[in-house]
mmCIF file with all atom_site columns, all heavy atoms in Angstrom:
data_model
loop_
_atom_site.group_PDB
_atom_site.id
_atom_site.type_symbol
_atom_site.label_atom_id
_atom_site.label_alt_id
_atom_site.label_comp_id
_atom_site.label_asym_id
_atom_site.label_entity_id
_atom_site.label_seq_id
_atom_site.pdbx_PDB_ins_code
_atom_site.Cartn_x
_atom_site.Cartn_y
_atom_site.Cartn_z
_atom_site.occupancy
_atom_site.B_iso_or_equiv
_atom_site.pdbx_formal_charge
_atom_site.auth_seq_id
_atom_site.auth_comp_id
_atom_site.auth_asym_id
_atom_site.auth_atom_id
_atom_site.pdbx_PDB_model_num
ATOM 1   N N   . ALA A 1 1  ? -86.289 41.165 65.752 1.00 84.00 ? 10 ALA A N   1
ATOM 2   C CA  . ALA A 1 1  ? -87.421 41.712 66.500 1.00 84.00 ? 10 ALA A CA  1
ATOM 3   C C   . ALA A 1 1  ? -87.046 42.906 67.360 1.00 84.00 ? 10 ALA A C   1
ATOM 4   O O   . ALA A 1 1  ? -87.926 43.614 67.847 1.00 84.00 ? 10 ALA A O   1
ATOM 5   C CB  . ALA A 1 1  ? -88.031 40.621 67.384 1.00 84.00 ? 10 ALA A CB  1
ATOM 6   N N   . ARG A 1 2  ? -85.729 43.141 67.551 1.00 80.00 ? 11 ARG A N   1
ATOM 7   C CA  . ARG A 1 2  ? -85.293 44.274 68.373 1.00 80.00 ? 11 ARG A CA  1
ATOM 8   C C   . ARG A 1 2  ? -84.177 45.033 67.653 1.00 80.00 ? 11 ARG A C   1
ATOM 9   O O   . ARG A 1 2  ? -83.065 45.184 68.163 1.00 80.00 ? 11 ARG A O   1
ATOM 10  C CB  . ARG A 1 2  ? -84.787 43.788 69.735 1.00 80.00 ? 11 ARG A CB  1
ATOM 11  C CG  . ARG A 1 2  ? -85.860 43.083 70.583 1.00 80.00 ? 11 ARG A CG  1
ATOM 12  C CD  . ARG A 1 2  ? -85.263 42.667 71.914 1.00 80.00 ? 11 ARG A CD  1
ATOM 13  N NE  . ARG A 1 2  ? -86.258 42.039 72.775 1.00 80.00 ? 11 ARG A NE  1
ATOM 14  C CZ  . ARG A 1 2  ? -86.565 40.747 72.760 1.00 80.00 ? 11 ARG A CZ  1
ATOM 15  N NH1 . ARG A 1 2  ? -85.954 39.948 71.871 1.00 80.00 ? 11 ARG A NH1 1
ATOM 16  N NH2 . ARG A 1 2  ? -87.464 40.239 73.585 1.00 80.00 ? 11 ARG A NH2 1
ATOM 17  N N   . PRO A 1 3  ? -84.443 45.528 66.449 1.00 80.00 ? 12 PRO A N   1
ATOM 18  C CA  . PRO A 1 3  ? -83.364 46.180 65.691 1.00 80.00 ? 12 PRO A CA  1
ATOM 19  C C   . PRO A 1 3  ? -83.009 47.542 66.264 1.00 80.00 ? 12 PRO A C   1
ATOM 20  O O   . PRO A 1 3  ? -83.862 48.248 66.812 1.00 80.00 ? 12 PRO A O   1
ATOM 21  C CB  . PRO A 1 3  ? -83.957 46.316 64.289 1.00 80.00 ? 12 PRO A CB  1
ATOM 22  C CG  . PRO A 1 3  ? -85.433 46.441 64.533 1.00 80.00 ? 12 PRO A CG  1
ATOM 23  C CD  . PRO A 1 3  ? -85.722 45.548 65.716 1.00 80.00 ? 12 PRO A CD  1
ATOM 24  N N   . ALA A 1 4  ? -81.746 47.918 66.146 1.00 74.00 ? 13 ALA A N   1
ATOM 25  C CA  . ALA A 1 4  ? -81.310 49.273 66.473 1.00 74.00 ? 13 ALA A CA  1
ATOM 26  C C   . ALA A 1 4  ? -81.585 50.156 65.264 1.00 74.00 ? 13 ALA A C   1
ATOM 27  O O   . ALA A 1 4  ? -81.152 49.847 64.156 1.00 74.00 ? 13 ALA A O   1
ATOM 28  C CB  . ALA A 1 4  ? -79.822 49.272 66.823 1.00 74.00 ? 13 ALA A CB  1
ATOM 29  N N   . LEU A 1 5  ? -82.321 51.255 65.473 1.00 68.00 ? 14 LEU A N   1
ATOM 30  C CA  . LEU A 1 5  ? -82.762 52.089 64.350 1.00 68.00 ? 14 LEU A CA  1
ATOM 31  C C   . LEU A 1 5  ? -82.017 53.418 64.269 1.00 68.00 ? 14 LEU A C   1
ATOM 32  O O   . LEU A 1 5  ? -82.460 54.337 63.593 1.00 68.00 ? 14 LEU A O   1
ATOM 33  C CB  . LEU A 1 5  ? -84.268 52.336 64.459 1.00 68.00 ? 14 LEU A CB  1
ATOM 34  C CG  . LEU A 1 5  ? -85.134 51.064 64.371 1.00 68.00 ? 14 LEU A CG  1
ATOM 35  C CD1 . LEU A 1 5  ? -86.598 51.412 64.579 1.00 68.00 ? 14 LEU A CD1 1
ATOM 36  C CD2 . LEU A 1 5  ? -84.936 50.373 63.028 1.00 68.00 ? 14 LEU A CD2 1
ATOM 37  N N   . ASP A 1 6  ? -80.869 53.516 64.977 1.00 69.00 ? 15 ASP A N   1
ATOM 38  C CA  . ASP A 1 6  ? -80.099 54.757 64.896 1.00 69.00 ? 15 ASP A CA  1
ATOM 39  C C   . ASP A 1 6  ? -79.647 55.031 63.464 1.00 69.00 ? 15 ASP A C   1
ATOM 40  O O   . ASP A 1 6  ? -79.585 56.171 63.016 1.00 69.00 ? 15 ASP A O   1
ATOM 41  C CB  . ASP A 1 6  ? -78.876 54.685 65.818 1.00 69.00 ? 15 ASP A CB  1
ATOM 42  C CG  . ASP A 1 6  ? -79.276 54.578 67.283 1.00 69.00 ? 15 ASP A CG  1
ATOM 43  O OD1 . ASP A 1 6  ? -80.424 54.957 67.605 1.00 69.00 ? 15 ASP A OD1 1
ATOM 44  O OD2 . ASP A 1 6  ? -78.455 54.101 68.084 1.00 69.00 ? 15 ASP A OD2 1
ATOM 45  N N   . ASP A 1 7  ? -79.317 53.955 62.745 1.00 71.00 ? 16 ASP A N   1
ATOM 46  C CA  . ASP A 1 7  ? -78.897 54.082 61.348 1.00 71.00 ? 16 ASP A CA  1
ATOM 47  C C   . ASP A 1 7  ? -79.718 53.090 60.515 1.00 71.00 ? 16 ASP A C   1
ATOM 48  O O   . ASP A 1 7  ? -79.370 51.906 60.420 1.00 71.00 ? 16 ASP A O   1
ATOM 49  C CB  . ASP A 1 7  ? -77.404 53.770 61.204 1.00 71.00 ? 16 ASP A CB  1
ATOM 50  C CG  . ASP A 1 7  ? -76.935 53.889 59.753 1.00 71.00 ? 16 ASP A CG  1
ATOM 51  O OD1 . ASP A 1 7  ? -77.706 54.416 58.922 1.00 71.00 ? 16 ASP A OD1 1
ATOM 52  O OD2 . ASP A 1 7  ? -75.806 53.454 59.468 1.00 71.00 ? 16 ASP A OD2 1
ATOM 53  N N   . PRO A 1 8  ? -80.837 53.560 59.902 1.00 68.00 ? 17 PRO A N   1
ATOM 54  C CA  . PRO A 1 8  ? -81.687 52.647 59.123 1.00 68.00 ? 17 PRO A CA  1
ATOM 55  C C   . PRO A 1 8  ? -80.932 51.926 58.014 1.00 68.00 ? 17 PRO A C   1
ATOM 56  O O   . PRO A 1 8  ? -81.303 50.811 57.639 1.00 68.00 ? 17 PRO A O   1
ATOM 57  C CB  . PRO A 1 8  ? -82.762 53.583 58.550 1.00 68.00 ? 17 PRO A CB  1
ATOM 58  C CG  . PRO A 1 8  ? -82.776 54.767 59.458 1.00 68.00 ? 17 PRO A CG  1
ATOM 59  C CD  . PRO A 1 8  ? -81.356 54.932 59.921 1.00 68.00 ? 17 PRO A CD  1
ATOM 60  N N   . HIS A 1 9  ? -79.854 52.539 57.498 1.00 72.00 ? 18 HIS A N   1
ATOM 61  C CA  . HIS A 1 9  ? -79.118 51.916 56.397 1.00 72.00 ? 18 HIS A CA  1
ATOM 62  C C   . HIS A 1 9  ? -78.281 50.736 56.864 1.00 72.00 ? 18 HIS A C   1
ATOM 63  O O   . HIS A 1 9  ? -77.712 50.015 56.039 1.00 72.00 ? 18 HIS A O   1
ATOM 64  C CB  . HIS A 1 9  ? -78.251 52.960 55.701 1.00 72.00 ? 18 HIS A CB  1
ATOM 65  C CG  . HIS A 1 9  ? -79.051 54.012 55.010 1.00 72.00 ? 18 HIS A CG  1
ATOM 66  N ND1 . HIS A 1 9  ? -79.714 53.781 53.825 1.00 72.00 ? 18 HIS A ND1 1
ATOM 67  C CD2 . HIS A 1 9  ? -79.341 55.293 55.350 1.00 72.00 ? 18 HIS A CD2 1
ATOM 68  C CE1 . HIS A 1 9  ? -80.362 54.885 53.450 1.00 72.00 ? 18 HIS A CE1 1
ATOM 69  N NE2 . HIS A 1 9  ? -80.155 55.798 54.367 1.00 72.00 ? 18 HIS A NE2 1
ATOM 70  N N   . ALA A 1 10 ? -78.209 50.525 58.187 1.00 78.00 ? 19 ALA A N   1
ATOM 71  C CA  . ALA A 1 10 ? -77.492 49.367 58.701 1.00 78.00 ? 19 ALA A CA  1
ATOM 72  C C   . ALA A 1 10 ? -78.355 48.107 58.654 1.00 78.00 ? 19 ALA A C   1
ATOM 73  O O   . ALA A 1 10 ? -77.858 47.007 58.906 1.00 78.00 ? 19 ALA A O   1
ATOM 74  C CB  . ALA A 1 10 ? -77.033 49.624 60.136 1.00 78.00 ? 19 ALA A CB  1
ATOM 75  N N   . LEU A 1 11 ? -79.653 48.261 58.324 1.00 82.00 ? 20 LEU A N   1
ATOM 76  C CA  . LEU A 1 11 ? -80.531 47.097 58.202 1.00 82.00 ? 20 LEU A CA  1
ATOM 77  C C   . LEU A 1 11 ? -80.057 46.218 57.041 1.00 82.00 ? 20 LEU A C   1
ATOM 78  O O   . LEU A 1 11 ? -79.691 46.711 55.982 1.00 82.00 ? 20 LEU A O   1
ATOM 79  C CB  . LEU A 1 11 ? -81.974 47.541 57.968 1.00 82.00 ? 20 LEU A CB  1
ATOM 80  C CG  . LEU A 1 11 ? -82.592 48.452 59.037 1.00 82.00 ? 20 LEU A CG  1
ATOM 81  C CD1 . LEU A 1 11 ? -84.051 48.748 58.706 1.00 82.00 ? 20 LEU A CD1 1
ATOM 82  C CD2 . LEU A 1 11 ? -82.481 47.834 60.417 1.00 82.00 ? 20 LEU A CD2 1
ATOM 83  N N   . ARG A 1 12 ? -80.100 44.904 57.241 1.00 87.00 ? 21 ARG A N   1
ATOM 84  C CA  . ARG A 1 12 ? -79.563 43.955 56.266 1.00 87.00 ? 21 ARG A CA  1
ATOM 85  C C   . ARG A 1 12 ? -80.637 43.515 55.277 1.00 87.00 ? 21 ARG A C   1
ATOM 86  O O   . ARG A 1 12 ? -81.820 43.431 55.615 1.00 87.00 ? 21 ARG A O   1
ATOM 87  C CB  . ARG A 1 12 ? -78.985 42.739 56.977 1.00 87.00 ? 21 ARG A CB  1
ATOM 88  C CG  . ARG A 1 12 ? -77.791 43.051 57.857 1.00 87.00 ? 21 ARG A CG  1
ATOM 89  C CD  . ARG A 1 12 ? -77.460 41.850 58.746 1.00 87.00 ? 21 ARG A CD  1
ATOM 90  N NE  . ARG A 1 12 ? -77.239 40.651 57.950 1.00 87.00 ? 21 ARG A NE  1
ATOM 91  C CZ  . ARG A 1 12 ? -76.055 40.231 57.517 1.00 87.00 ? 21 ARG A CZ  1
ATOM 92  N NH1 . ARG A 1 12 ? -74.974 40.937 57.807 1.00 87.00 ? 21 ARG A NH1 1
ATOM 93  N NH2 . ARG A 1 12 ? -75.927 39.122 56.808 1.00 87.00 ? 21 ARG A NH2 1
ATOM 94  N N   . GLU A 1 13 ? -80.216 43.193 54.049 1.00 87.00 ? 22 GLU A N   1
ATOM 95  C CA  . GLU A 1 13 ? -81.151 42.760 53.014 1.00 87.00 ? 22 GLU A CA  1
ATOM 96  C C   . GLU A 1 13 ? -81.810 41.428 53.349 1.00 87.00 ? 22 GLU A C   1
ATOM 97  O O   . GLU A 1 13 ? -82.899 41.140 52.867 1.00 87.00 ? 22 GLU A O   1
ATOM 98  C CB  . GLU A 1 13 ? -80.429 42.649 51.662 1.00 87.00 ? 22 GLU A CB  1
ATOM 99  C CG  . GLU A 1 13 ? -80.018 43.984 51.068 1.00 87.00 ? 22 GLU A CG  1
ATOM 100 C CD  . GLU A 1 13 ? -79.445 43.823 49.674 1.00 87.00 ? 22 GLU A CD  1
ATOM 101 O OE1 . GLU A 1 13 ? -79.493 42.683 49.150 1.00 87.00 ? 22 GLU A OE1 1
ATOM 102 O OE2 . GLU A 1 13 ? -78.955 44.816 49.107 1.00 87.00 ? 22 GLU A OE2 1
ATOM 103 N N   . ASP A 1 14 ? -81.163 40.615 54.179 1.00 89.00 ? 23 ASP A N   1
ATOM 104 C CA  . ASP A 1 14 ? -81.715 39.298 54.492 1.00 89.00 ? 23 ASP A CA  1
ATOM 105 C C   . ASP A 1 14 ? -82.487 39.313 55.812 1.00 89.00 ? 23 ASP A C   1
ATOM 106 O O   . ASP A 1 14 ? -82.755 38.261 56.390 1.00 89.00 ? 23 ASP A O   1
ATOM 107 C CB  . ASP A 1 14 ? -80.610 38.240 54.551 1.00 89.00 ? 23 ASP A CB  1
ATOM 108 C CG  . ASP A 1 14 ? -79.619 38.503 55.692 1.00 89.00 ? 23 ASP A CG  1
ATOM 109 O OD1 . ASP A 1 14 ? -79.656 39.609 56.273 1.00 89.00 ? 23 ASP A OD1 1
ATOM 110 O OD2 . ASP A 1 14 ? -78.824 37.603 56.005 1.00 89.00 ? 23 ASP A OD2 1
ATOM 111 N N   . GLY A 1 15 ? -82.879 40.483 56.286 1.00 90.00 ? 24 GLY A N   1
ATOM 112 C CA  . GLY A 1 15 ? -83.569 40.587 57.556 1.00 90.00 ? 24 GLY A CA  1
ATOM 113 C C   . GLY A 1 15 ? -85.070 40.769 57.394 1.00 90.00 ? 24 GLY A C   1
ATOM 114 O O   . GLY A 1 15 ? -85.529 41.435 56.463 1.00 90.00 ? 24 GLY A O   1
ATOM 115 N N   . ILE A 1 16 ? -85.845 40.152 58.298 1.00 91.00 ? 25 ILE A N   1
ATOM 116 C CA  . ILE A 1 16 ? -87.283 40.417 58.422 1.00 91.00 ? 25 ILE A CA  1
ATOM 117 C C   . ILE A 1 16 ? -87.437 41.171 59.735 1.00 91.00 ? 25 ILE A C   1
ATOM 118 O O   . ILE A 1 16 ? -87.228 40.597 60.811 1.00 91.00 ? 25 ILE A O   1
ATOM 119 C CB  . ILE A 1 16 ? -88.099 39.117 58.395 1.00 91.00 ? 25 ILE A CB  1
ATOM 120 C CG1 . ILE A 1 16 ? -87.991 38.492 56.996 1.00 91.00 ? 25 ILE A CG1 1
ATOM 121 C CG2 . ILE A 1 16 ? -89.559 39.370 58.755 1.00 91.00 ? 25 ILE A CG2 1
ATOM 122 C CD1 . ILE A 1 16 ? -88.719 37.169 56.847 1.00 91.00 ? 25 ILE A CD1 1
ATOM 123 N N   . TYR A 1 17 ? -87.779 42.457 59.655 1.00 88.00 ? 26 TYR A N   1
ATOM 124 C CA  . TYR A 1 17 ? -87.651 43.376 60.783 1.00 88.00 ? 26 TYR A CA  1
ATOM 125 C C   . TYR A 1 17 ? -88.999 43.764 61.381 1.00 88.00 ? 26 TYR A C   1
ATOM 126 O O   . TYR A 1 17 ? -89.984 43.964 60.649 1.00 88.00 ? 26 TYR A O   1
ATOM 127 C CB  . TYR A 1 17 ? -86.920 44.643 60.337 1.00 88.00 ? 26 TYR A CB  1
ATOM 128 C CG  . TYR A 1 17 ? -85.444 44.444 60.078 1.00 88.00 ? 26 TYR A CG  1
ATOM 129 C CD1 . TYR A 1 17 ? -84.986 44.115 58.805 1.00 88.00 ? 26 TYR A CD1 1
ATOM 130 C CD2 . TYR A 1 17 ? -84.517 44.583 61.102 1.00 88.00 ? 26 TYR A CD2 1
ATOM 131 C CE1 . TYR A 1 17 ? -83.631 43.921 58.556 1.00 88.00 ? 26 TYR A CE1 1
ATOM 132 C CE2 . TYR A 1 17 ? -83.164 44.398 60.865 1.00 88.00 ? 26 TYR A CE2 1
ATOM 133 C CZ  . TYR A 1 17 ? -82.721 44.073 59.596 1.00 88.00 ? 26 TYR A CZ  1
ATOM 134 O OH  . TYR A 1 17 ? -81.377 43.880 59.355 1.00 88.00 ? 26 TYR A OH  1
ATOM 135 N N   . VAL A 1 18 ? -89.019 43.880 62.705 1.00 87.00 ? 27 VAL A N   1
ATOM 136 C CA  . VAL A 1 18 ? -90.134 44.514 63.409 1.00 87.00 ? 27 VAL A CA  1
ATOM 137 C C   . VAL A 1 18 ? -89.805 46.003 63.506 1.00 87.00 ? 27 VAL A C   1
ATOM 138 O O   . VAL A 1 18 ? -88.802 46.385 64.121 1.00 87.00 ? 27 VAL A O   1
ATOM 139 C CB  . VAL A 1 18 ? -90.332 43.913 64.813 1.00 87.00 ? 27 VAL A CB  1
ATOM 140 C CG1 . VAL A 1 18 ? -91.437 44.658 65.547 1.00 87.00 ? 27 VAL A CG1 1
ATOM 141 C CG2 . VAL A 1 18 ? -90.658 42.430 64.716 1.00 87.00 ? 27 VAL A CG2 1
ATOM 142 N N   . LEU A 1 19 ? -90.632 46.846 62.870 1.00 81.00 ? 28 LEU A N   1
ATOM 143 C CA  . LEU A 1 19 ? -90.346 48.275 62.772 1.00 81.00 ? 28 LEU A CA  1
ATOM 144 C C   . LEU A 1 19 ? -91.548 49.099 63.229 1.00 81.00 ? 28 LEU A C   1
ATOM 145 O O   . LEU A 1 19 ? -92.687 48.659 63.088 1.00 81.00 ? 28 LEU A O   1
ATOM 146 C CB  . LEU A 1 19 ? -90.007 48.662 61.331 1.00 81.00 ? 28 LEU A CB  1
ATOM 147 C CG  . LEU A 1 19 ? -88.779 48.004 60.691 1.00 81.00 ? 28 LEU A CG  1
ATOM 148 C CD1 . LEU A 1 19 ? -88.692 48.397 59.218 1.00 81.00 ? 28 LEU A CD1 1
ATOM 149 C CD2 . LEU A 1 19 ? -87.509 48.401 61.422 1.00 81.00 ? 28 LEU A CD2 1
ATOM 150 N N   . PRO A 1 20 ? -91.310 50.304 63.735 1.00 75.00 ? 29 PRO A N   1
ATOM 151 C CA  . PRO A 1 20 ? -92.428 51.221 64.004 1.00 75.00 ? 29 PRO A CA  1
ATOM 152 C C   . PRO A 1 20 ? -92.946 51.830 62.716 1.00 75.00 ? 29 PRO A C   1
ATOM 153 O O   . PRO A 1 20 ? -92.260 51.800 61.681 1.00 75.00 ? 29 PRO A O   1
ATOM 154 C CB  . PRO A 1 20 ? -91.791 52.290 64.906 1.00 75.00 ? 29 PRO A CB  1
ATOM 155 C CG  . PRO A 1 20 ? -90.351 52.298 64.503 1.00 75.00 ? 29 PRO A CG  1
ATOM 156 C CD  . PRO A 1 20 ? -90.016 50.866 64.136 1.00 75.00 ? 29 PRO A CD  1
ATOM 157 N N   . GLU A 1 21 ? -94.160 52.406 62.763 1.00 63.00 ? 30 GLU A N   1
ATOM 158 C CA  . GLU A 1 21 ? -94.749 53.005 61.568 1.00 63.00 ? 30 GLU A CA  1
ATOM 159 C C   . GLU A 1 21 ? -94.001 54.239 61.110 1.00 63.00 ? 30 GLU A C   1
ATOM 160 O O   . GLU A 1 21 ? -94.150 54.673 59.977 1.00 63.00 ? 30 GLU A O   1
ATOM 161 C CB  . GLU A 1 21 ? -96.205 53.398 61.840 1.00 63.00 ? 30 GLU A CB  1
ATOM 162 C CG  . GLU A 1 21 ? -97.146 52.233 61.937 1.00 63.00 ? 30 GLU A CG  1
ATOM 163 C CD  . GLU A 1 21 ? -98.588 52.676 62.006 1.00 63.00 ? 30 GLU A CD  1
ATOM 164 O OE1 . GLU A 1 21 ? -98.858 53.788 62.505 1.00 63.00 ? 30 GLU A OE1 1
ATOM 165 O OE2 . GLU A 1 21 ? -99.447 51.920 61.543 1.00 63.00 ? 30 GLU A OE2 1
ATOM 166 N N   . THR A 1 22 ? -93.196 54.848 62.002 1.00 59.00 ? 31 THR A N   1
ATOM 167 C CA  . THR A 1 22 ? -92.624 56.163 61.733 1.00 59.00 ? 31 THR A CA  1
ATOM 168 C C   . THR A 1 22 ? -91.265 56.134 61.057 1.00 59.00 ? 31 THR A C   1
ATOM 169 O O   . THR A 1 22 ? -90.639 57.166 60.925 1.00 59.00 ? 31 THR A O   1
ATOM 170 C CB  . THR A 1 22 ? -92.494 56.939 63.051 1.00 59.00 ? 31 THR A CB  1
ATOM 171 O OG1 . THR A 1 22 ? -91.778 56.130 64.001 1.00 59.00 ? 31 THR A OG1 1
ATOM 172 C CG2 . THR A 1 22 ? -93.854 57.273 63.614 1.00 59.00 ? 31 THR A CG2 1
ATOM 173 N N   . VAL A 1 23 ? -90.784 54.958 60.662 1.00 63.00 ? 32 VAL A N   1
ATOM 174 C CA  . VAL A 1 23 ? -89.493 54.893 59.969 1.00 63.00 ? 32 VAL A CA  1
ATOM 175 C C   . VAL A 1 23 ? -89.576 55.716 58.689 1.00 63.00 ? 32 VAL A C   1
ATOM 176 O O   . VAL A 1 23 ? -90.448 55.501 57.847 1.00 63.00 ? 32 VAL A O   1
ATOM 177 C CB  . VAL A 1 23 ? -89.125 53.432 59.637 1.00 63.00 ? 32 VAL A CB  1
ATOM 178 C CG1 . VAL A 1 23 ? -87.902 53.392 58.738 1.00 63.00 ? 32 VAL A CG1 1
ATOM 179 C CG2 . VAL A 1 23 ? -88.862 52.663 60.914 1.00 63.00 ? 32 VAL A CG2 1
ATOM 180 N N   . ALA A 1 24 ? -88.679 56.688 58.559 1.00 61.00 ? 33 ALA A N   1
ATOM 181 C CA  . ALA A 1 24 ? -88.729 57.584 57.401 1.00 61.00 ? 33 ALA A CA  1
ATOM 182 C C   . ALA A 1 24 ? -87.805 57.137 56.276 1.00 61.00 ? 33 ALA A C   1
ATOM 183 O O   . ALA A 1 24 ? -87.967 57.548 55.145 1.00 61.00 ? 33 ALA A O   1
ATOM 184 C CB  . ALA A 1 24 ? -88.361 59.010 57.826 1.00 61.00 ? 33 ALA A CB  1
ATOM 185 N N   . GLU A 1 25 ? -86.812 56.294 56.609 1.00 69.00 ? 34 GLU A N   1
ATOM 186 C CA  . GLU A 1 25 ? -85.896 55.785 55.592 1.00 69.00 ? 34 GLU A CA  1
ATOM 187 C C   . GLU A 1 25 ? -85.842 54.272 55.714 1.00 69.00 ? 34 GLU A C   1
ATOM 188 O O   . GLU A 1 25 ? -85.905 53.720 56.808 1.00 69.00 ? 34 GLU A O   1
ATOM 189 C CB  . GLU A 1 25 ? -84.494 56.370 55.792 1.00 69.00 ? 34 GLU A CB  1
ATOM 190 C CG  . GLU A 1 25 ? -84.409 57.864 55.547 1.00 69.00 ? 34 GLU A CG  1
ATOM 191 C CD  . GLU A 1 25 ? -82.982 58.356 55.692 1.00 69.00 ? 34 GLU A CD  1
ATOM 192 O OE1 . GLU A 1 25 ? -82.164 58.039 54.807 1.00 69.00 ? 34 GLU A OE1 1
ATOM 193 O OE2 . GLU A 1 25 ? -82.679 59.025 56.681 1.00 69.00 ? 34 GLU A OE2 1
#
């Protein structure tokens, strides 16, 4: 629910993420 978005590629495949609409990657 509080992911760090400095590096979108660090997001994990097993995660269900709360994200803003503006994520470009």
Side-chain angles (χ1 to χ4, degrees):
R11 297 181 178 87
L14 297 176
D15 296 339
D16 180 11
H18 294 285
L20 302 183
R21 296 168 56 93
E22 290 186 6
D23 64 348
I25 293 178
Y26 288 91
V27 176
L28 299 174
E30 288 188 331
T31 53
V32 171
E34 293 183 71

